[in-house]
Amino acid sequence: MMTAIDHTTTDDGAGQSPGLWRYLRALARDPVTLLAVVFLIVLAISALGAELVAPHDPTRLSLAMRNKPPLSPGLLEGVTHYLGTDELGRDLLSRLIFGGRVSIAVGLIGALFAGVFGTTLGLIAGYYRGRTDDAVMRAVDAMAALPTLLIALFFLFVVGAGFWNLVIVLAFVRWRVFARLTRGMVLSLREQPYVLAAKAIGASDTRIIFRHVLPNILSPLMVLFTLEVAVLILAEAALSFLGFGIQPPDSSWGLMIARGREYLTSAWWLVTLPGLAIFLTTLGLNLVAAWARAITDPVQRWRWLA
């Protein structure tokens, strides 16, 4: 019996399957994407080990050190606030590191929930068609017709702000993206010879979906997942800025911008630095997603690996 990958070109044009080393060499030849990958790795390490990386306690107040500019010396000898302090005298670098952990967690977990739910519905709708497909697609169309942030604001107003409420609401408003993409790809795969052969020998629908269909759509789904993480980081920043996202004493990049906007003219770093962190993170994720899309496309892969 043909396997799920028989119809897809998995070699690099020379009849050989590319190994990890060849992908790494292709990445090294793209300095912009390589820089984005290094930045995201450093960001992930900093977020995971925030307690070890942050130079100060992000919640420690010092009214005598309010709104100090970058590279300001602390009250104690040998202490330096490399990125300055905020309106309550808290170290801004430490707040950025801990805020990055929260913002990235919202993006990752929200995209994961949306991806699992949307992909499952897309698989069911594309494979079974009929009324199931109609119901799922009408729900997708209804969600797409409404502004994402407006829906999120409404539900957060009803259920209240907070980390998990924010994650669930963002997953609820973004599952449609995964469902639409999955359904479209499944429709093109369900009539492939290897799927028909699996049906002919009596394979169950569950086995066909998860053994023969799902493996062939993982690559574009992973690219979409990367892009959605960036989208949800921006959404978290917007909702926290409006007061419906992360709440004090927790920190996030969006909340830092919201708290620092009152001091924009006198302490520009309070808004500029978390805004720059959001910009660089989303830019890096988009660059990595674009590179992953090209490197996993059988038509373009040979140009990168040759």
Side-chain angles (χ1 to χ4, degrees), residues 5-58:
I5 60 173
D6 287 340
H7 79 289
T8 303
T9 303
T10 58
D11 57 61
D12 58 1
Q16 297 179 350
S17 179
L20 177 61
W21 180 246
R22 299 192 68 183
Y23 284 114
L24 293 178
R25 285 193 299 174
L27 178 62
R29 291 195 297 267
D30 187 350
V32 175
T33 305
L34 179 61
L35 184 61
V37 171
V38 172
F39 171 78
L40 293 176
I41 292 175
V42 172
L43 186 65
I45 294 174
S46 300
L48 291 174
E51 290 82 0
L52 301 176
V53 176
H56 302 279
D57 182 355

Short mmCIF file of all heavy atoms in Angstrom, two decimals, residues 5-58:
data_model
loop_
_atom_site.label_atom_id
_atom_site.label_comp_id
_atom_site.label_asym_id
_atom_site.label_seq_id
_atom_site.Cartn_x
_atom_site.Cartn_y
_atom_site.Cartn_z
N ILE A 5 3.12 9.84 2.02
CA ILE A 5 4.06 10.78 1.44
C ILE A 5 4.48 10.37 0.03
O ILE A 5 5.36 10.97 -0.55
CB ILE A 5 5.33 10.92 2.32
CG1 ILE A 5 6.03 9.56 2.46
CG2 ILE A 5 4.99 11.45 3.67
CD1 ILE A 5 7.37 9.63 3.17
N ASP A 6 3.84 9.34 -0.52
CA ASP A 6 4.26 8.87 -1.83
C ASP A 6 4.04 9.89 -2.91
O ASP A 6 4.77 9.94 -3.89
CB ASP A 6 3.52 7.58 -2.20
CG ASP A 6 4.03 6.39 -1.39
OD1 ASP A 6 5.16 6.49 -0.87
OD2 ASP A 6 3.31 5.39 -1.28
N HIS A 7 3.01 10.74 -2.77
CA HIS A 7 2.69 11.67 -3.85
C HIS A 7 3.45 12.97 -3.74
O HIS A 7 3.34 13.83 -4.61
CB HIS A 7 1.18 11.94 -3.84
CG HIS A 7 0.77 12.93 -2.81
ND1 HIS A 7 0.80 12.63 -1.46
CD2 HIS A 7 0.37 14.22 -2.91
CE1 HIS A 7 0.40 13.69 -0.78
NE2 HIS A 7 0.14 14.66 -1.64
N THR A 8 4.21 13.16 -2.66
CA THR A 8 4.91 14.42 -2.45
C THR A 8 6.38 14.25 -2.71
O THR A 8 6.99 13.29 -2.27
CB THR A 8 4.70 14.90 -1.00
OG1 THR A 8 3.31 15.00 -0.76
CG2 THR A 8 5.36 16.23 -0.78
N THR A 9 6.96 15.19 -3.42
CA THR A 9 8.39 15.14 -3.67
C THR A 9 9.14 15.49 -2.42
O THR A 9 9.06 16.62 -1.93
CB THR A 9 8.77 16.13 -4.79
OG1 THR A 9 8.01 15.81 -5.94
CG2 THR A 9 10.24 16.04 -5.10
N THR A 10 9.89 14.54 -1.87
CA THR A 10 10.60 14.77 -0.63
C THR A 10 12.09 14.88 -0.82
O THR A 10 12.82 15.03 0.14
CB THR A 10 10.32 13.61 0.35
OG1 THR A 10 10.74 12.39 -0.26
CG2 THR A 10 8.85 13.54 0.70
N ASP A 11 12.58 14.82 -2.07
CA ASP A 11 14.01 14.94 -2.27
C ASP A 11 14.35 16.35 -2.68
O ASP A 11 13.50 17.21 -2.80
CB ASP A 11 14.49 13.93 -3.32
CG ASP A 11 13.77 14.10 -4.66
OD1 ASP A 11 13.90 15.20 -5.24
OD2 ASP A 11 13.08 13.18 -5.11
N ASP A 12 15.60 16.59 -2.91
CA ASP A 12 16.07 17.93 -3.21
C ASP A 12 16.38 18.13 -4.68
O ASP A 12 17.04 19.06 -5.07
CB ASP A 12 17.32 18.25 -2.38
CG ASP A 12 18.43 17.23 -2.66
OD1 ASP A 12 18.19 16.33 -3.48
OD2 ASP A 12 19.51 17.35 -2.07
N GLY A 13 15.87 17.25 -5.50
CA GLY A 13 16.13 17.34 -6.93
C GLY A 13 17.20 16.37 -7.38
O GLY A 13 17.38 16.16 -8.57
N ALA A 14 17.91 15.76 -6.47
CA ALA A 14 18.95 14.81 -6.83
C ALA A 14 18.58 13.40 -6.44
O ALA A 14 19.38 12.48 -6.50
CB ALA A 14 20.27 15.20 -6.14
N GLY A 15 17.31 13.21 -6.02
CA GLY A 15 16.85 11.88 -5.67
C GLY A 15 17.19 11.48 -4.25
O GLY A 15 17.01 10.33 -3.88
N GLN A 16 17.68 12.39 -3.43
CA GLN A 16 18.04 12.09 -2.07
C GLN A 16 17.22 12.95 -1.12
O GLN A 16 16.92 14.10 -1.40
CB GLN A 16 19.53 12.35 -1.83
CG GLN A 16 20.45 11.47 -2.66
CD GLN A 16 21.91 11.79 -2.39
OE1 GLN A 16 22.22 12.77 -1.74
NE2 GLN A 16 22.78 10.94 -2.90
N SER A 17 16.86 12.35 0.00
CA SER A 17 16.12 13.11 1.00
C SER A 17 17.09 14.00 1.77
O SER A 17 18.10 13.53 2.27
CB SER A 17 15.44 12.14 1.97
OG SER A 17 14.74 12.85 2.96
N PRO A 18 16.81 15.32 1.86
CA PRO A 18 17.73 16.23 2.53
C PRO A 18 17.76 15.98 4.03
O PRO A 18 16.74 15.75 4.66
CB PRO A 18 17.15 17.61 2.21
CG PRO A 18 15.71 17.36 1.94
CD PRO A 18 15.63 16.01 1.31
N GLY A 19 18.95 16.02 4.62
CA GLY A 19 19.09 15.82 6.04
C GLY A 19 19.11 17.15 6.77
O GLY A 19 19.08 18.23 6.18
N LEU A 20 19.17 17.05 8.11
CA LEU A 20 19.15 18.24 8.94
C LEU A 20 20.34 19.14 8.64
O LEU A 20 20.21 20.37 8.64
CB LEU A 20 19.16 17.82 10.42
CG LEU A 20 19.21 18.96 11.44
CD1 LEU A 20 18.00 19.87 11.31
CD2 LEU A 20 19.32 18.40 12.85
N TRP A 21 21.50 18.56 8.37
CA TRP A 21 22.70 19.35 8.12
C TRP A 21 22.54 20.23 6.89
O TRP A 21 23.01 21.36 6.85
CB TRP A 21 23.91 18.45 7.99
CG TRP A 21 25.18 19.17 7.73
CD1 TRP A 21 25.95 19.13 6.60
CD2 TRP A 21 25.85 20.09 8.61
NE1 TRP A 21 27.04 19.94 6.72
CE2 TRP A 21 27.01 20.54 7.94
CE3 TRP A 21 25.58 20.57 9.88
CZ2 TRP A 21 27.88 21.46 8.52
CZ3 TRP A 21 26.45 21.48 10.46
CH2 TRP A 21 27.58 21.91 9.78
N ARG A 22 21.86 19.72 5.88
CA ARG A 22 21.67 20.50 4.65
C ARG A 22 20.70 21.66 4.90
O ARG A 22 20.86 22.74 4.33
CB ARG A 22 21.16 19.60 3.52
CG ARG A 22 22.11 18.48 3.16
CD ARG A 22 21.72 17.81 1.89
NE ARG A 22 21.90 18.70 0.75
CZ ARG A 22 21.56 18.38 -0.50
NH1 ARG A 22 21.03 17.21 -0.75
NH2 ARG A 22 21.75 19.23 -1.48
N TYR A 23 19.72 21.43 5.75
CA TYR A 23 18.83 22.53 6.11
C TYR A 23 19.58 23.60 6.89
O TYR A 23 19.36 24.81 6.69
CB TYR A 23 17.65 22.01 6.95
CG TYR A 23 16.59 21.30 6.15
CD1 TYR A 23 16.35 19.94 6.32
CD2 TYR A 23 15.81 21.99 5.23
CE1 TYR A 23 15.37 19.28 5.59
CE2 TYR A 23 14.83 21.35 4.49
CZ TYR A 23 14.62 19.99 4.68
OH TYR A 23 13.65 19.36 3.95
N LEU A 24 20.46 23.18 7.79
CA LEU A 24 21.23 24.15 8.56
C LEU A 24 22.18 24.94 7.66
O LEU A 24 22.37 26.14 7.85
CB LEU A 24 22.02 23.42 9.66
CG LEU A 24 21.18 22.79 10.77
CD1 LEU A 24 22.08 22.05 11.76
CD2 LEU A 24 20.34 23.83 11.48
N ARG A 25 22.77 24.28 6.69
CA ARG A 25 23.64 24.99 5.76
C ARG A 25 22.84 25.98 4.91
O ARG A 25 23.31 27.08 4.60
CB ARG A 25 24.37 24.00 4.86
CG ARG A 25 25.50 23.26 5.57
CD ARG A 25 26.39 22.54 4.59
NE ARG A 25 25.64 21.54 3.84
CZ ARG A 25 26.15 20.83 2.83
NH1 ARG A 25 27.39 21.05 2.43
NH2 ARG A 25 25.43 19.93 2.22
N ALA A 26 21.62 25.58 4.51
CA ALA A 26 20.76 26.50 3.77
C ALA A 26 20.38 27.71 4.62
O ALA A 26 20.34 28.83 4.14
CB ALA A 26 19.50 25.77 3.29
N LEU A 27 20.16 27.46 5.91
CA LEU A 27 19.84 28.57 6.81
C LEU A 27 21.04 29.50 6.97
O LEU A 27 20.89 30.73 7.01
CB LEU A 27 19.42 28.02 8.17
CG LEU A 27 19.11 29.04 9.26
CD1 LEU A 27 17.93 29.93 8.85
CD2 LEU A 27 18.80 28.34 10.58
N ALA A 28 22.25 28.94 7.02
CA ALA A 28 23.45 29.75 7.17
C ALA A 28 23.69 30.64 5.96
O ALA A 28 24.33 31.69 6.07
CB ALA A 28 24.66 28.85 7.41
N ARG A 29 23.17 30.24 4.80
CA ARG A 29 23.34 31.05 3.60
C ARG A 29 22.32 32.19 3.51
O ARG A 29 22.37 32.99 2.58
CB ARG A 29 23.23 30.17 2.35
CG ARG A 29 24.40 29.20 2.18
CD ARG A 29 24.43 28.63 0.76
NE ARG A 29 23.24 27.84 0.49
CZ ARG A 29 23.18 26.52 0.67
NH1 ARG A 29 24.22 25.87 1.15
NH2 ARG A 29 22.08 25.86 0.40
N ASP A 30 21.40 32.24 4.46
CA ASP A 30 20.42 33.32 4.52
C ASP A 30 20.65 34.10 5.80
O ASP A 30 20.06 33.81 6.85
CB ASP A 30 19.00 32.74 4.49
CG ASP A 30 17.94 33.81 4.37
OD1 ASP A 30 18.28 35.01 4.50
OD2 ASP A 30 16.76 33.47 4.16
N PRO A 31 21.51 35.11 5.78
CA PRO A 31 21.90 35.78 7.04
C PRO A 31 20.74 36.47 7.74
O PRO A 31 20.73 36.55 8.97
CB PRO A 31 22.97 36.79 6.58
CG PRO A 31 22.74 36.98 5.11
CD PRO A 31 22.20 35.67 4.62
N VAL A 32 19.77 36.98 6.99
CA VAL A 32 18.66 37.68 7.62
C VAL A 32 17.82 36.70 8.45
O VAL A 32 17.50 36.95 9.62
CB VAL A 32 17.79 38.38 6.56
CG1 VAL A 32 16.56 39.02 7.21
CG2 VAL A 32 18.59 39.44 5.82
N THR A 33 17.47 35.56 7.84
CA THR A 33 16.70 34.56 8.57
C THR A 33 17.52 33.97 9.71
O THR A 33 16.98 33.70 10.80
CB THR A 33 16.24 33.45 7.62
OG1 THR A 33 15.52 34.02 6.53
CG2 THR A 33 15.35 32.45 8.34
N LEU A 34 18.81 33.76 9.49
CA LEU A 34 19.67 33.24 10.56
C LEU A 34 19.69 34.20 11.75
O LEU A 34 19.61 33.76 12.91
CB LEU A 34 21.08 33.03 10.02
CG LEU A 34 22.12 32.51 11.03
CD1 LEU A 34 21.70 31.15 11.57
CD2 LEU A 34 23.50 32.44 10.39
N LEU A 35 19.77 35.48 11.49
CA LEU A 35 19.74 36.47 12.56
C LEU A 35 18.41 36.42 13.31
O LEU A 35 18.37 36.53 14.55
CB LEU A 35 19.98 37.86 11.99
CG LEU A 35 20.09 39.02 13.00
CD1 LEU A 35 21.27 38.80 13.95
CD2 LEU A 35 20.24 40.35 12.27
N ALA A 36 17.32 36.24 12.55
CA ALA A 36 16.00 36.14 13.19
C ALA A 36 15.91 34.90 14.06
O ALA A 36 15.36 34.95 15.17
CB ALA A 36 14.91 36.11 12.12
N VAL A 37 16.45 33.78 13.59
CA VAL A 37 16.43 32.54 14.38
C VAL A 37 17.24 32.70 15.66
O VAL A 37 16.80 32.30 16.75
CB VAL A 37 16.97 31.36 13.54
CG1 VAL A 37 17.17 30.13 14.40
CG2 VAL A 37 16.02 31.04 12.40
N VAL A 38 18.42 33.30 15.55
CA VAL A 38 19.27 33.51 16.74
C VAL A 38 18.55 34.41 17.73
O VAL A 38 18.55 34.15 18.95
CB VAL A 38 20.63 34.11 16.32
CG1 VAL A 38 21.43 34.52 17.56
CG2 VAL A 38 21.41 33.11 15.49
N PHE A 39 17.93 35.47 17.24
CA PHE A 39 17.20 36.39 18.13
C PHE A 39 16.07 35.66 18.85
O PHE A 39 15.88 35.83 20.07
CB PHE A 39 16.65 37.56 17.33
CG PHE A 39 15.72 38.44 18.12
CD1 PHE A 39 16.22 39.36 19.03
CD2 PHE A 39 14.34 38.35 17.96
CE1 PHE A 39 15.37 40.16 19.76
CE2 PHE A 39 13.48 39.14 18.69
CZ PHE A 39 13.99 40.06 19.60
N LEU A 40 15.30 34.84 18.13
CA LEU A 40 14.19 34.12 18.74
C LEU A 40 14.68 33.09 19.75
O LEU A 40 14.04 32.87 20.79
CB LEU A 40 13.34 33.45 17.66
CG LEU A 40 12.57 34.40 16.73
CD1 LEU A 40 11.85 33.62 15.65
CD2 LEU A 40 11.58 35.25 17.52
N ILE A 41 15.82 32.46 19.47
CA ILE A 41 16.38 31.49 20.43
C ILE A 41 16.80 32.21 21.71
O ILE A 41 16.51 31.74 22.82
CB ILE A 41 17.56 30.74 19.80
CG1 ILE A 41 17.07 29.82 18.67
CG2 ILE A 41 18.31 29.92 20.85
CD1 ILE A 41 18.18 29.12 17.92
N VAL A 42 17.49 33.33 21.56
CA VAL A 42 17.91 34.11 22.74
C VAL A 42 16.68 34.58 23.51
O VAL A 42 16.65 34.54 24.76
CB VAL A 42 18.77 35.31 22.31
CG1 VAL A 42 19.04 36.23 23.49
CG2 VAL A 42 20.09 34.81 21.71
N LEU A 43 15.65 35.00 22.80
CA LEU A 43 14.42 35.47 23.44
C LEU A 43 13.76 34.33 24.22
O LEU A 43 13.29 34.52 25.35
CB LEU A 43 13.47 36.03 22.39
CG LEU A 43 12.18 36.68 22.90
CD1 LEU A 43 12.51 37.93 23.70
CD2 LEU A 43 11.26 37.03 21.72
N ALA A 44 13.72 33.14 23.61
CA ALA A 44 13.10 31.99 24.27
C ALA A 44 13.88 31.59 25.52
O ALA A 44 13.29 31.30 26.57
CB ALA A 44 13.01 30.81 23.29
N ILE A 45 15.20 31.58 25.43
CA ILE A 45 16.02 31.24 26.59
C ILE A 45 15.83 32.26 27.71
O ILE A 45 15.70 31.91 28.89
CB ILE A 45 17.50 31.14 26.19
CG1 ILE A 45 17.71 29.96 25.22
CG2 ILE A 45 18.39 30.98 27.41
CD1 ILE A 45 19.12 29.88 24.66
N SER A 46 15.77 33.53 27.34
CA SER A 46 15.57 34.58 28.34
C SER A 46 14.21 34.45 29.02
O SER A 46 14.08 34.64 30.24
CB SER A 46 15.69 35.96 27.69
OG SER A 46 16.97 36.14 27.11
N ALA A 47 13.18 34.11 28.23
CA ALA A 47 11.84 33.98 28.80
C ALA A 47 11.75 32.77 29.72
O ALA A 47 11.16 32.84 30.81
CB ALA A 47 10.81 33.87 27.68
N LEU A 48 12.35 31.66 29.31
CA LEU A 48 12.29 30.44 30.12
C LEU A 48 13.09 30.58 31.40
O LEU A 48 12.70 30.09 32.45
CB LEU A 48 12.77 29.24 29.31
CG LEU A 48 11.87 28.78 28.15
CD1 LEU A 48 12.54 27.69 27.35
CD2 LEU A 48 10.53 28.30 28.69
N GLY A 49 14.24 31.23 31.30
CA GLY A 49 15.08 31.41 32.47
C GLY A 49 15.08 32.82 32.99
O GLY A 49 16.13 33.36 33.37
N ALA A 50 13.90 33.44 33.03
CA ALA A 50 13.81 34.85 33.41
C ALA A 50 14.36 35.10 34.81
O ALA A 50 15.00 36.13 35.05
CB ALA A 50 12.35 35.31 33.34
N GLU A 51 14.11 34.17 35.73
CA GLU A 51 14.61 34.37 37.09
C GLU A 51 16.13 34.42 37.14
O GLU A 51 16.71 35.09 38.01
CB GLU A 51 14.11 33.25 38.01
CG GLU A 51 12.62 33.29 38.30
CD GLU A 51 11.78 32.66 37.20
OE1 GLU A 51 12.39 32.20 36.20
OE2 GLU A 51 10.55 32.63 37.33
N LEU A 52 16.79 33.70 36.23
CA LEU A 52 18.25 33.67 36.21
C LEU A 52 18.83 34.80 35.36
O LEU A 52 19.94 35.26 35.63
CB LEU A 52 18.73 32.31 35.69
CG LEU A 52 18.28 31.08 36.48
CD1 LEU A 52 18.75 29.82 35.78
CD2 LEU A 52 18.79 31.13 37.90
N VAL A 53 18.11 35.22 34.35
CA VAL A 53 18.64 36.20 33.40
C VAL A 53 18.39 37.62 33.87
O VAL A 53 19.25 38.50 33.72
CB VAL A 53 18.02 35.97 32.00
CG1 VAL A 53 18.49 37.03 31.03
CG2 VAL A 53 18.38 34.58 31.49
N ALA A 54 17.22 37.88 34.43
CA ALA A 54 16.87 39.25 34.83
C ALA A 54 17.82 39.76 35.91
O ALA A 54 18.06 39.07 36.91
CB ALA A 54 15.43 39.28 35.34
N PRO A 55 18.37 40.94 35.72
CA PRO A 55 19.35 41.46 36.70
C PRO A 55 18.73 41.94 38.00
O PRO A 55 19.42 42.06 39.01
CB PRO A 55 20.00 42.62 35.94
CG PRO A 55 18.97 43.07 34.97
CD PRO A 55 18.23 41.83 34.57
N HIS A 56 17.40 42.22 38.00
CA HIS A 56 16.75 42.74 39.20
C HIS A 56 15.39 42.08 39.38
O HIS A 56 14.86 41.44 38.46
CB HIS A 56 16.58 44.26 39.12
CG HIS A 56 17.86 45.02 38.92
ND1 HIS A 56 18.72 45.31 39.95
CD2 HIS A 56 18.43 45.54 37.79
CE1 HIS A 56 19.76 45.97 39.48
NE2 HIS A 56 19.61 46.13 38.18
N ASP A 57 14.82 42.25 40.53
CA ASP A 57 13.45 41.81 40.80
C ASP A 57 12.50 42.75 40.04
O ASP A 57 12.50 43.97 40.29
CB ASP A 57 13.17 41.87 42.30
CG ASP A 57 11.77 41.36 42.64
OD1 ASP A 57 11.00 41.06 41.72
OD2 ASP A 57 11.47 41.27 43.84
N PRO A 58 11.68 42.23 39.13
CA PRO A 58 10.84 43.13 38.31
C PRO A 58 9.72 43.80 39.10
O PRO A 58 9.10 44.73 38.59
CB PRO A 58 10.26 42.18 37.25
CG PRO A 58 10.28 40.84 37.89
CD PRO A 58 11.50 40.82 38.77
#
